[in-house]
């Protein structure tokens, strides 16, 4: 897992999903602008955490594929139990990624 810095995350995002790199740049500039305007670092911390999670979830192809499968399963669920089961597994996947990001 790369450190939660703008430079390290930029490289990691480019490696795991080249098309997301454009969104990364747009969001980086928006967060920077908001941080400057509000004289607050929260927008930058939020940006770094969000993209850290993105990298953690997608840096392993099998994890990225499972994430996509679970998101589709939740969207297609026809009953509450099916949705709960997929949501629980999705929550566990997010928890693993959050642990990696938090270091």
């Amino acid at each position: 897992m790369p450190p939660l810095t703008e430079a390290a995350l930029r490289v990691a995002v480019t490696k795991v999903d080249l098309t997301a790199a454009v969104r990364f740049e747009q969001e980086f500039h928006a967060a920077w602008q908001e941080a400057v305007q509000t004289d607050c670092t929260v927008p930058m911390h939020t940006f770094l955490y969000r993209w850290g999670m993105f990298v953690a979830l997608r840096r392993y192809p099998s994890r990225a594929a499972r994430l996509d499968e679970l998101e589709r399963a939740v969207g297609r669920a026809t009953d509450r139990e099916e949705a709960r089961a997929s949501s629980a597994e999705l929550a566990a996947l997010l928890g693993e990624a959050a642990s990696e990001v938090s270091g």
Side-chain angles (χ1 to χ4, degrees):
M1 184 66 203
L4 292 184
T5 66
E6 172 254 331
L9 288 172
R10 178 178 282 118
V11 170
V13 168
T14 301
K15 284 182 181 178
V16 299
D17 186 344
L18 189 56
T19 60
V22 173
R23 208 169 62 247
F24 177 92
E25 292 301 328
Q26 292 168 339
E27 290 183 19
F28 170 74
H29 292 292
W32 180 260
Q33 197 169 40
E34 183 180 351
V36 169
Q37 289 174 350
T38 60
D39 195 29
C40 178
T41 60
V42 171
M44 290 306 297
H45 289 287
T46 302
F47 167 83
L48 293 172
Y49 183 81
R50 178 192 178 311
W51 283 96
M53 285 292 290
F54 178 89
V55 169
L57 288 166
R58 289 166 179 82
R59 67 190 182 125
Y60 299 116
S62 60
R63 183 187 282 173
R66 188 63 184 147
L67 174 69
D68 291 342
E69 289 171 18
L70 290 169
E71 288 175 338
R72 283 192 302 273
V74 169
R76 286 191 315 257
T78 56
D79 62 57
R80 201 174 287 167
E81 288 307 311
E82 186 180 350
R84 281 186 182 145
S86 296
S87 295
E89 190 177 342
L90 187 54
L93 197 66
L94 291 170
E96 289 174 23
S99 292
E100 291 175 17
V101 170
S102 298

